[in-house]
Amino acid sequence: MRDVAVIGVGLTKFGEIWDRSFRQLIVEAGSKAILDAGIEGKDIDAMYVGSMSSGRFIGQEHVGALVADASGFYNLHIPSTRVEGACASGGLAVRQGYLSVASGVNDIVVIGGIEKMNDVAGTSATETLATAADQEWEAFFGATFPGLYAFIATRHMHEYGTTKEQLAQVAVKNHANGALNPYAQYQKEIKLEHAINATMVAYPLGLLDCSPVTDGSAAVVLCSAERAKEFTDTPVKIIGAGQASDSLALHGRRDITTLDATVHAAQMAYKQAKVTSKDIQLAEVHDCFTIAEICAIEDLGFVKKGDGGKAIDNNITTRDGSQPVNTSGGLKAKGHPVGATGVAQIIEIVLQLQGRAEKRQIPDARIGLAHNVGGSGATCTVHIMEGM
Amino acid sequence: METLGIVSYGADIPRLRITAHEIASVWGKDGATISKGLGIIEKSVPSIDQDTATISVESARAALRRCHINPQDIGAIYVGSESHPYAVKPTGTIVGEAIGATPDLMVADYEFACKAGTAAIQTCMGFVKANMIKYGLAIGADTSQAAPGDALEYSASAGGAAYIIGKKNVIASLNHTYSFTTDTPDFWRRAERKYPSHGGRFTGAPAYFKHVTTCATTLMKKAGTSPEDYDYAVFHQPNGKFPVSVAYKLGFSKEQITQGLIVPYIGNTYSGASMVGLASVLDVAKPGDKIMVTSYGSGAGSDGFDITVTDHIEQLERSNAPSIKQMVDDKQYISYGVYAKLTDLLYWE
Amino acid sequence: MSVPRFWREIPQRYNLIGNKCEICSKVYFPPRESCPVCRRKSIGHIKDLKLSGKGEVFTYSIIHVSSGEFEEQVPYPIAIIKLDEGPMITAQIVDCDPDCVKIGMRVESTFRQIQQDGYTGALYYGYKFKKV
């Protein structure tokens, strides 16, 4: 295994992007990443595309080839592979690209993540997201995706006394961060009482506890660490890449309020990176719902199990806290184009470690973590990065 | 000596209710007058996830919970309804699978307006008597439909009951049965139409009253009984008025019919109506009680049964399933708007 | 859901047929091909078991925004139920006010229509739960 670094990043604006298609979005993100890295098409050994459900959102499968074609690389015959793991598709694509470079098979790979979700009606988007759940034993019986995280929230409240106000604090914090991110879907702060009293989606989760339906794309260029400085002065090394699985259905888990896939992916990444949770200076965690951020910081070891709800009052996860979480605005405010999310999380950490995060910049950030979850926790990737 | 009769019974009544008053208020009528005229206070309404199949299954399961028979010993299932969820595809197979009676059995769905359920009992009696099957399961269940604004809207309701017919551990012997049948089109629903049509006052004298009266009279003649021999009598109950008036005409008293008269509280459950009435009687019956049941199905016919409750009813675990009274009392009222949603009145393409 | 996919699982959906590993006694619903605890030792020793349909609410939600199939039912309570035999199961809670559902509430299964394949397709039945 050899070291791997991120040498270029590219992001589209996240939101309801009515005038841009699936292929336009990913070509935009990919081109920005390639230009950022200073490479050309002929330098690329392979491409990986994370997309959860292009088949249901735009009626198009075979998007590995589509991306190679749309980006103009079809005539270079670059191998292009689509990777799917529900909302963790982006994180999985990054990890696949990482492994291919670490193994020595490839030197330079481009990883794109994309979802074009607004080309279908809202109900259809809800149904498509529910395919990340167990279709036969959850969705068939009326469980929605927010409903599954609501199950986690209800139980977390019951076991640990977590409150609806603490859930709302997560949304308020992430919107405050999103307000500083020019790529975010919602660049607007929200008030705590609005978050608490928002229209109910799946009790106890209201509308402002949920990440939105988003169009968007993100891309990164990975390169072997030994060659990274040929392309950039500020490469960011991936020092740990963990991944884990769990039961597809939430009701099959050891503990409803713990995402064991997060725990195991984190252990794998920490071990490889030779760091502990204490060493993580900032993190992008998978806050598809506010409760998910609370569980994530517990399962990643930032706080003790059950204490996640108090992290904001205790000044841990805020931008000026001890371990700032979701400085980009998170899925909540930045938006959640599912296949793009895992890649976009990596980008935020890279920008922070490179000192390019502008108004959101955390001073002296050196080690950061990106945590991407598929479904209600059946798939998880954790990447730990360090500036070179 | 082996007795042919009822081995167990169960019923299911959806818990949603709409009052006659609420319906009347939508159509600019006086609820109190209508309620009094029909003898119906309120009716049951199926929830969005309840239909004749679910009511049949829940009734059959209730019957099985009360006795100790192996569902695999059920050799036939007949489900009588005029609101089978499918026009083509049996309800009985759903019941058979859901109670674990498949695959060695006979199954068919019946339709004879409000008496398809009692026709199913007669069929099971024949097979059991002929020793072709050990037990037969006869079900009458409906989620009956009524056109918005039609007089039937005040009565057409949902519910059903299931009877296990056999010769062993019989709780009520079926001593005699008799049917009176003519071709009398008093009420019908044409193929592919959503709501039934009816002959208004023609549904009375030449239809309900003629058939029920003749059937009951002939049955008593065959059985050698007279009205005072019965502890309970159950007549088909399309509303609260007809069964009372036919009972008095035949010489039965209010005391004999009250226990089996459920229609004022849940409306007309069609194929389930006389069977739910009988279930209410069996909920309280004691050994030796004599019961007469006379169903009526438009089109038209009546099935009569002369029944004697046996000592074995004391062994039946009646409390293992809710009584009719418990189900009548467990209710939740809905508005006409919700009723319209649940009964598909608000459907558009 | 297509008809064959539904039909294949009728034993589970109608009658809660799970299975039990005869080696470690753990009960599974839906049934598993092998026991994830005993693994290869369990092959041939994992037997069908009809579950009682009795259990208690472990956690719950009230769905206000549903998929298209369930739109006419909102708001509806749904829960993860811990069955008395051990397995957890996700199902709707019916015949009560959404607000009455609580963690620890005793429930039992009931037979209901779960979905319709539009106005012309098949009807899919299965378990929901109600308060005991």
Side-chain angles (χ1 to χ4, degrees):
Chain A
M1 289 267 286
R2 55 181 180 163
D3 287 343
V4 180
V6 181
I7 57 166
V9 300
L11 202 58
T12 69
K13 169 86 175 65
F14 280 11
E16 293 178 354
I17 315 292
W18 300 112
D19 58 350
R20 307 279 281 164
S21 70
F22 179 97
R23 42 188 102 190
Q24 288 172 313
L25 286 170
I26 192 147
V27 169
E28 179 188 334
S31 306
K32 283 178 174 171
I34 287 166
L35 290 173
D36 189 42
I39 60 165
E40 294 178 42
K42 64 175 172 47
D43 299 324
I44 301 168
D45 295 318
M47 307 202 297
Y48 293 88
V49 181
S51 166
M52 172 188 169
S53 197
S54 58
R56 289 180 67 117
F57 283 125
I58 61 161
Q60 177 74 60
E61 304 293 13
H62 205 177
V63 295
L66 177 132
V67 172
D69 180 359
S71 53
F73 297 145
Y74 65 95
N75 52 6
L76 297 176
H77 308 293
I78 297 171
S80 179
T81 306
R82 182 246 185 112
V83 180
E84 191 274 314
C87 321
S89 299
L92 290 184
V94 171
R95 190 161 182 273
Q96 290 307 305
Y98 164 83
L99 291 174
S100 81
V101 176
S103 70
V105 171
N106 295 318
D107 270 348
I108 294 177
V109 299
V110 180
I111 294 132
I114 169 120
E115 218 71 56
K116 179 72 184 151
M117 300 171 72
N118 282 298
D119 282 2
V120 296
T123 312
S124 183
T126 303
E127 285 167 12
T128 297
L129 291 172
T131 64
D134 187 325
Q135 283 296 294
E136 317 266 314
W137 306 107
E138 292 182 321
F140 176 81
F141 291 98
T144 59
F145 204 57
L148 296 178
Y149 275 92
F151 283 159
I152 297 174
T154 303
R155 192 70 202 179
H156 206 279
M157 290 168 149
H158 176 77
E159 286 187 25
Y160 303 113
T162 303
T163 64
K164 183 126 176 62
E165 182 175 341
Q166 289 172 337
L167 297 178
Q169 286 176 339
V170 175
V172 170
K173 167 184 76 79
N174 290 350
H175 271 268
N177 291 346
L180 304 177
N181 184 350
Y183 292 92
Q185 180 161 5
Y186 299 121
Q187 296 168 40
K188 193 177 147 212
E189 299 200 5
I190 57 168
K191 289 200 171 80
L192 187 68
E193 63 263 35
H194 291 164
I196 294 171
N197 298 318
T199 308
M200 206 45 93
V201 172
Y203 170 87
L205 303 179
L207 188 62
L208 292 175
D209 288 303
C210 306
S211 57
V213 168
T214 310
D215 304 325
S217 182
V220 295
V221 180
L222 301 190
C223 171
S224 58
E226 66 223 36
R227 288 187 58 197
K229 294 239 167 160
E230 290 174 30
F231 302 100
T232 172
D233 295 335
T234 55
V236 169
K237 198 154 82 171
I238 298 177
I239 57 173
Q243 181 187 336
S245 308
D246 203 343
S247 74
L248 185 60
L250 179 66
H251 59 232
R253 308 276 165 77
R254 180 189 60 81
D255 173 16
I256 299 291
T257 60
T258 302
L259 274 68
D260 276 348
T262 296
V263 173
H264 286 262
Q267 278 170 0
M268 191 188 288
Y270 289 146
K271 192 176 163 202
Q272 185 192 349
K274 300 189 180 69
V275 300
T276 70
S277 59
K278 303 272 175 299
D279 300 316
I280 305 301
Q281 291 167 299
L282 81 162
E284 288 288 301
V285 310
H286 197 90
D287 61 327
C288 49
F289 300 93
T290 49
I291 183 65
E293 176 169 317
I294 289 172
C295 289
I297 58 173
E298 294 171 351
D299 299 340
L300 291 166
F302 294 1
V303 297
K304 202 166 100 239
K305 189 78 219 166
D307 284 352
K310 299 173 205 143
I312 290 169
D313 276 344
N314 292 346
N315 208 31
I316 295 169
T317 51
T318 42
R319 241 179 15 261
D320 58 355
S322 53
Q323 285 180 299
V325 165
N326 287 331
T327 54
S328 69
L331 285 54
K332 176 71 210 74
K334 184 182 58 189
H336 183 25
V338 280
T341 285
V343 183
Q345 292 175 318
I346 301 278
I347 293 175
E348 176 69 7
I349 298 298
V350 167
L351 294 176
Q352 288 281 0
L353 300 184
Q354 290 175 328
R356 292 203 281 168
E358 300 174 345
K359 291 179 189 159
R360 314 184 301 285
Q361 185 63 47
I362 303 299
D364 305 322
R366 199 176 54 79
I367 295 181
L369 176 150
H371 162 257
N372 190 198
V373 172
S376 61
T379 299
C380 179
T381 61
V382 172
H383 287 93
I384 301 172
M385 285 154 278
E386 185 177 21
M388 277 172 83
Chain B
M1 203 190 85
E2 287 189 321
T3 316
L4 172 65
I6 296 163
V7 175
S8 185
Y9 70 99
D12 185 44
I13 299 165
R15 71 192 280 278
L16 299 182
R17 302 282 187 278
I18 187 166
T19 62
H21 190 87
E22 170 74 8
I23 299 170
S25 70
V26 171
W27 301 108
K29 311 266 185 195
D30 178 46
T33 311
I34 288 184
S35 193
K36 191 157 179 289
L38 288 173
I40 292 175
I41 302 159
E42 58 204 37
K43 68 167 189 173
S44 61
V45 179
S47 186
I48 201 147
D49 55 3
Q50 292 176 304
D51 61 21
T52 292
T54 68
I55 292 167
S56 298
V57 168
E58 286 295 311
S59 304
R61 285 181 174 174
L64 284 165
R65 275 202 294 277
R66 287 177 164 144
C67 65
H68 295 278
I69 73 162
N70 182 348
Q72 284 288 312
D73 288 336
I74 293 172
I77 299 175
Y78 295 95
V79 183
S81 180
E82 55 131 70
S83 55
H84 289 290
Y86 290 96
V88 178
K89 202 254 159 238
T91 306
T93 53
I94 299 169
V95 177
E97 200 72 45
I99 62 167
T102 50
D104 299 317
L105 82 167
M106 299 180 275
V107 168
D109 285 358
Y110 277 4
E111 185 280 309
F112 193 149
C114 298
K115 82 164 194 73
T118 53
I121 291 181
Q122 291 176 323
T123 310
C124 290
M125 287 170 70
F127 281 122
V128 171
K129 196 166 182 180
N131 290 320
M132 288 174 69
I133 58 174
K134 189 168 177 187
Y135 298 110
L137 175 62
I139 298 172
D142 260 307
T143 52
S144 46
Q145 302 288 316
D150 189 88
L152 291 177
E153 199 176 21
Y154 298 93
S155 59
S157 72
Y163 288 83
I164 298 172
I165 309 298
K167 285 184 183 173
K168 234 182 114 190
N169 297 333
V170 162
I171 60 154
S173 66
L174 293 159
N175 310 315
H176 299 276
T177 184
Y178 166 75
S179 293
F180 178 75
T181 311
T182 71
D183 190 28
T184 306
D186 60 324
F187 168 101
W188 60 87
R189 180 163 60 83
R190 291 270 298 278
E192 295 181 14
R193 303 311 299 181
K194 188 168 176 184
Y195 300 115
S197 309
H198 55 84
R201 291 188 62 78
F202 183 67
T203 59
Y208 179 87
F209 288 101
K210 176 180 159 189
H211 290 77
V212 172
T213 311
T214 314
C215 179
T217 311
T218 314
L219 177 75
M220 285 190 281
K221 203 165 152 192
K222 280 173 59 131
T225 54
S226 52
E228 57 274 19
D229 294 328
Y230 293 97
D231 298 281
Y232 301 101
V234 179
F235 297 99
H236 174 54
Q237 33 205 278
N239 51 52
K241 285 289 157 105
F242 281 20
V244 175
S245 111
V246 87
Y248 291 167
K249 203 166 144 192
L250 285 163
F252 288 88
S253 68
K254 192 179 172 194
E255 287 67 37
Q256 286 168 297
I257 60 168
T258 303
Q259 181 66 28
L261 192 63
I262 306 301
V263 66
Y265 320 106
I266 63 167
N268 179 9
T269 58
Y270 282 54
S271 302
S274 33
M275 300 183 61
V276 168
L278 174 60
S280 174
V281 169
L282 291 175
D283 281 343
V284 299
K286 292 183 292 297
D289 282 348
K290 278 198 68 76
I291 307 164
M292 184 174 80
V293 175
T294 315
S295 66
Y296 173 72
S298 288
S302 270
D303 302 330
F305 299 87
D306 174 80
I307 301 168
T308 309
V309 178
T310 73
D311 293 345
H312 199 76
I313 198 157
E314 307 286 8
Q315 269 79 59
L316 191 75
E317 293 173 61
R318 281 186 274 193
S319 63
N320 279 2
S323 68
I324 298 295
K325 182 166 189 334
Q326 284 172 317
M327 288 187 279
V328 165
D329 292 345
D330 178 21
K331 59 190 171 184
Q332 183 192 336
Y333 289 104
I334 55 170
S335 65
Y336 193 90
V338 171
Y339 169 79
K341 181 175 86 167
L342 293 176
T343 51
D344 257 5
L345 300 184
L346 303 179
Y347 170 67
W348 73 96
E349 284 294 345
Chain C
M1 174 147 301
S2 69
V3 169
R5 277 177 65 196
F6 171 77
W7 168 81
R8 214 171 281 130
E9 286 164 351
I10 280 179
Q12 283 71 47
R13 302 204 192 287
Y14 286 15
N15 283 319
L16 288 165
I17 306 293
N19 60 8
K20 181 176 180 174
C21 174
E22 291 177 326
I23 294 166
C24 71
S25 296
K26 202 163 155 45
V27 176
Y28 297 101
F29 186 90
R32 285 186 174 274
E33 299 298 312
S34 65
C35 171
V37 179
C38 303
R39 306 198 184 282
R40 72 184 63 188
K41 278 185 292 183
S42 69
I43 294 167
H45 298 284
I46 187 155
K47 296 284 157 65
D48 280 359
L49 178 74
K50 185 177 192 301
L51 305 179
S52 65
K54 294 186 195 313
E56 64 177 55
V57 171
F58 187 79
T59 184
Y60 67 94
S61 175
I62 300 160
I63 306 296
H64 291 261
V65 180
S66 72
S67 64
E69 275 297 328
F70 292 86
E71 263 177 345
E72 290 179 10
Q73 299 180 41
V74 296
Y76 58 89
I78 188 162
I80 292 180
I81 293 143
K82 186 169 173 51
L83 297 173
D84 288 350
E85 292 87 349
M88 298 269 207
I89 185 171
T90 298
Q92 275 178 263
I93 307 288
V94 291
D95 286 0
C96 74
D97 259 7
D99 294 342
C100 90
V101 181
K102 294 280 173 285
I103 288 176
M105 184 173 101
R106 290 291 300 169
V107 291
E108 64 185 1
S109 66
T110 179
F111 188 83
R112 295 296 173 98
Q113 202 183 96
I114 309 294
Q115 292 191 15
Q116 305 187 355
D117 193 359
Y119 270 81
T120 56
L123 306 172
Y124 300 138
Y125 296 92
Y127 51 79
K128 295 190 180 183
F129 284 73
K130 60 181 182 185
K131 195 173 173 177
V132 175

